[in-house]
Amino acid sequence: MKLIYIPIEIKARELTSKLLFISENINENFVYFIGDKKSSIRATSLLGEGIYFYKSINYNDTNHILRIKNKGNAYISLDEEGGATQSNTSSFQSYLNYRSNLKNVSLVNKIFTWGNFDYKGWNKKYKNHTNKIIKTGSPRFDIWRKEIYSKIFKDEILHLKKYSPFFFIPSTFISSYSWLQKEISNEKKMKRNNNKLTYGYLKKRIKARKDSHKNFLAFVNLIKKLTKDFPKYKILIKPHPTENVLDWKKKFKEKKYSNVLIDNKYDLTAYIAASNCVIFSESTAGIQSIIMGKKAISYNLKNNVTFRNFANKCAPQTSNYDFLLKYLNENYNYEKLKYKKKIKDRFYITKKTSSKIIMQNIKKIKMKPVNFRVFNFKVNFFGSYFLIKDNLKFFLMRVNQIIFKTKPKIESRFSYSLKMPGGIKRDEIEQIFKNLKIDKKIKIKNFGKDGYIIYKDIDQKKYY
């Protein structure tokens, strides 16, 4: 058996799709590690050579890539930051200036793309490395299939249906002025560290950040109007994983907004599936809604600067409240087939799942199989040690908070608790596999508190 490492940076964005990738390929001759950043560092340091499946090859990821490669691992990537939703070819090329560099491309083994658009963009920029760039689609697309999401999220969809009828608003905004100032500071820092970024591009990015905050305020006003015009509807807002939920709650704390619910307990897919209409701006959720056959509309400010405008073009779009009102009161979708075609022209969505296509390409990478006896010993020994250590550390932290009444630190956009709320729980993994009806055929072992080894539960003697 060969080993695949799957690190998770943002739980809500990546965990379900990567678990689906594992489930789609559980019968392949692989053992899988999945876990948070700390668990991934431990695993790659202790468990031996494998294939490291990461979400980026950023211009500042060079040391990270070298650390992984120097341990004998292969390094493959599939962008999770929405590069394929960039507005046009020019903005995608600028995007690649900070999402990649020539050295990183030369170091990695394979770069998977969401579809035709980013495939052509990568090839245009890195003409001498086209053999590494492969069009596969994303496991996130697999979740959009009814035969899959209706199994994985059946309980969540049933629960959310209790709020029907409701409009669903997936947030992708800068939701506070203090966060906006930090984003502007980060943009300036990025420019100082990357001489490929022009000052004109920096200026445009800062304007886009400011407009994102303006859009947040515009959506707050929009929602307040909707509460009056649709008193029998609930309005469910799901903040982005990097947003502070309190920014939204502060805007709707009055009793007259009792039909507004701020909720991010579940995966995005469950909310879309259960909703009556999705109202979005610049979000992949809009694209997903159309593919899932749901009613959706893009609402944006006029003259809004954005680098990810493609999603807005995949559904009816407006900046006029009266048009939005009319659309919400109608019982049909505008030109649904036209929008689906636009999406499929850019995204690689085929009869075969993206998870299967990615695995076909992973199997072409030459790697030594793990000695399962040694591997299993390491997993049992170090996994138990880290689990005890992590749980003890968490317990002492909670005791310290109770005894000394210490307040938790103010969460930043990049804090672990926002990116990985609750950590990665074993029962969450087990529930997904149970819903997919493969729980009886897999083995799950803890590797610390937020890391797991997953493989098909068969006699391993032949691998010793």
Side-chain angles (χ1 to χ4, degrees):
M1 297 178 86
K2 296 178 182 178
L3 172 61
I4 298 179
Y5 294 106
I6 306 176
I8 302 296
E9 184 192 41
I10 298 179
K11 180 179 176 180
R13 182 183 67 189
E14 301 158 37
L15 181 60
T16 303
S17 63
K18 293 301 169 58
L19 288 174
L20 180 60
F21 168 80
I22 293 172
S23 72
E24 285 280 290
N25 296 298
I26 197 65
N27 291 321
E28 299 290 349
N29 196 26
F30 284 89
V31 58
Y32 305 89
F33 164 85
I34 190 165
D36 67 359
K37 182 178 179 180
K38 182 166 69 174
S39 299
S40 299
I41 292 172
R42 291 169 171 173
T44 53
S45 298
L46 295 167
L47 298 182
E49 296 177 4
I51 298 166
Y52 189 81
F53 188 3
Y54 199 50
K55 55 91 185 177
S56 70
I57 56 167
N58 280 350
Y59 76 95
N60 59 355
D61 277 346
T62 306
N63 289 336
H64 174 70
I65 295 170
L66 285 170
R67 187 187 75 82
I68 296 299
K69 293 285 291 184
N70 288 341
K71 292 183 180 298
N73 299 299
Y75 191 112
I76 60 178
S77 77
L78 175 66
D79 179 58
E80 292 282 2
E81 302 286 348
T85 63
Q86 291 286 306
S87 301
N88 51 50
T89 302
S90 176
S91 67
F92 185 73
Q93 290 300 309
S94 297
Y95 172 84
L96 288 182
N97 284 336
Y98 66 93
R99 295 298 296 174
S100 67
N101 62 39
L102 182 59
K103 183 172 183 178
N104 291 354
V105 170
S106 64
L107 284 170
V108 303
N109 297 77
K110 293 184 185 293
I111 300 167
F112 300 135
T113 74
W114 285 34
N116 294 318
F117 174 77
D118 50 336
Y119 174 76
K120 291 176 181 177
W122 279 99
N123 276 286
K124 181 180 178 180
K125 190 167 187 67
Y126 299 106
K127 294 177 182 178
N128 294 328
H129 296 278
T130 55
N131 61 314
K132 295 183 176 184
I133 301 161
I134 304 163
K135 180 172 58 179
T136 60
S138 167
R140 288 162 71 172
F141 301 166
D142 300 340
I143 295 175
W144 303 355
R145 299 169 185 249
K146 189 171 184 179
E147 68 271 20
I148 291 177
Y149 75 70
S150 60
K151 291 178 184 177
I152 294 180
F153 304 112
K154 60 179 182 178
D155 296 330
E156 291 91 336
I157 293 169
L158 189 63
H159 173 77
L160 289 167
K161 283 283 188 183
K162 294 176 183 178
Y163 297 119
S164 294
F166 73 87
F167 300 133
F168 174 52
I169 297 177
S171 174
T172 55
F173 309 118
I174 293 177
S175 55
S176 70
Y177 183 75
S178 59
W179 177 11
L180 172 61
Q181 296 307 306
K182 288 179 183 177
E183 284 293 300
I184 292 172
S185 176
N186 289 336
E187 294 293 348
K188 292 177 179 178
K189 182 179 179 181
M190 184 172 68
K191 171 66 186 77
R192 289 195 297 270
N193 295 336
N194 190 339
N195 57 19
K196 286 189 177 182
L197 302 179
T198 66
Y199 282 102
Y201 184 66
L202 171 65
K203 187 176 179 181
K204 191 174 180 181
R205 284 187 64 86
I206 290 174
K207 177 67 164 61
R209 295 293 182 258
K210 290 178 178 178
D211 283 354
S212 177
H213 183 55
K214 287 179 181 177
N215 248 350
F216 166 70
L217 298 175
F219 260 75
V220 169
N221 291 330
L222 165 70
I223 293 163
K224 288 179 178 179
K225 289 180 181 178
L226 289 174
T227 60
K228 294 179 181 178
D229 290 321
F230 294 91
K232 293 183 180 180
Y233 276 67
K234 297 288 186 185
I235 300 169
L236 265 67
I237 305 165
K238 179 177 170 58
H240 189 271
T242 56
E243 288 181 35
N244 191 327
V245 176
L246 292 177
D247 292 336
W248 281 102
K249 288 186 175 181
K250 284 186 288 189
K251 300 295 184 181
F252 300 103
K253 58 186 178 182
E254 297 176 52
K255 282 188 178 180
K256 61 182 178 180
Y257 301 125
S258 59
N259 59 337
V260 176
L261 303 173
I262 293 100
D263 187 294
N264 59 1
K265 286 186 291 188
Y266 305 128
D267 187 277
L268 184 70
T269 308
Y271 295 92
I272 293 172
S275 69
N276 292 77
C277 183
V278 179
I279 307 171
F280 70 96
S281 175
E282 301 177 29
S283 173
T284 310
I287 298 171
Q288 180 177 351
S289 303
I290 297 298
I291 293 296
M292 287 173 60
K294 301 297 291 188
K295 188 175 181 179
I297 184 167
S298 171
Y299 183 84
N300 302 278
L301 291 174
K302 287 182 178 180
N303 303 316
N304 189 47
V305 173
T306 175
F307 292 92
R308 298 196 304 166
N309 194 39
F310 177 70
N312 295 336
K313 299 174 183 176
C314 296
Q317 57 179 314
T318 187
S319 55
N320 182 283
Y321 182 75
D322 290 335
F323 180 89
L324 175 68
L325 207 59
K326 179 184 176 183
Y327 181 78
L328 294 176
N329 280 305
E330 291 174 343
N331 294 320
Y332 65 93
N333 282 329
Y334 280 75
E335 301 175 300
K336 184 167 63 176
L337 292 177
K338 182 188 85 170
Y339 292 123
K340 279 191 175 183
K341 183 180 184 305
K342 182 183 282 287
I343 294 166
K344 290 183 178 181
D345 283 346
R346 181 177 281 217
F347 290 172
Y348 192 56
I349 301 174
T350 67
K351 289 183 179 179
K352 183 179 285 189
T353 63
S354 295
S355 296
K356 293 283 190 185
I357 296 169
I358 290 169
M359 178 53 78
Q360 282 179 346
N361 287 280
I362 287 177
K363 287 162 71 175
K364 295 175 183 177
I365 300 173
K366 292 182 180 180
M367 290 296 298
K368 294 178 183 177
V370 298
N371 180 320
F372 201 84
R373 179 178 291 168
V374 175
F375 177 80
N376 205 35
F377 172 79
K378 288 180 178 180
V379 169
N380 291 335
F381 179 79
F382 290 112
S384 298
Y385 166 73
F386 288 131
L387 186 61
I388 293 168
K389 180 181 178 181
D390 293 344
N391 285 330
L392 180 61
K393 184 177 179 180
F394 179 77
F395 172 75
L396 293 174
M397 181 185 73
R398 294 294 296 148
V399 169
N400 185 62
Q401 289 175 350
I402 293 169
I403 294 176
F404 298 103
K405 297 181 179 180
T406 56
K407 294 181 180 179
K409 293 180 181 178
I410 297 173
E411 295 175 332
S412 73
R413 180 193 174 195
F414 303 101
S415 67
Y416 181 87
S417 59
L418 284 179
K419 288 185 173 184
M420 303 288 290
I424 300 176
K425 297 177 181 177
R426 186 187 181 105
D427 59 354
E428 294 173 326
I429 296 174
E430 289 173 339
Q431 187 61 55
I432 286 175
F433 288 150
K434 183 178 180 181
N435 289 348
L436 290 169
K437 301 187 186 305
I438 64 164
D439 55 308
K440 303 296 184 186
K441 65 192 293 188
I442 62 169
K443 191 86 172 176
I444 303 173
K445 292 187 175 183
N446 280 81
F447 193 77
K449 183 173 173 288
D450 297 293
Y452 300 89
I453 305 297
I454 302 170
Y455 56 89
K456 188 174 181 180
D457 191 10
I458 55 175
D459 184 7
Q460 300 296 333
K461 287 182 181 178
K462 63 180 180 179
Y463 300 115
Y464 287 179

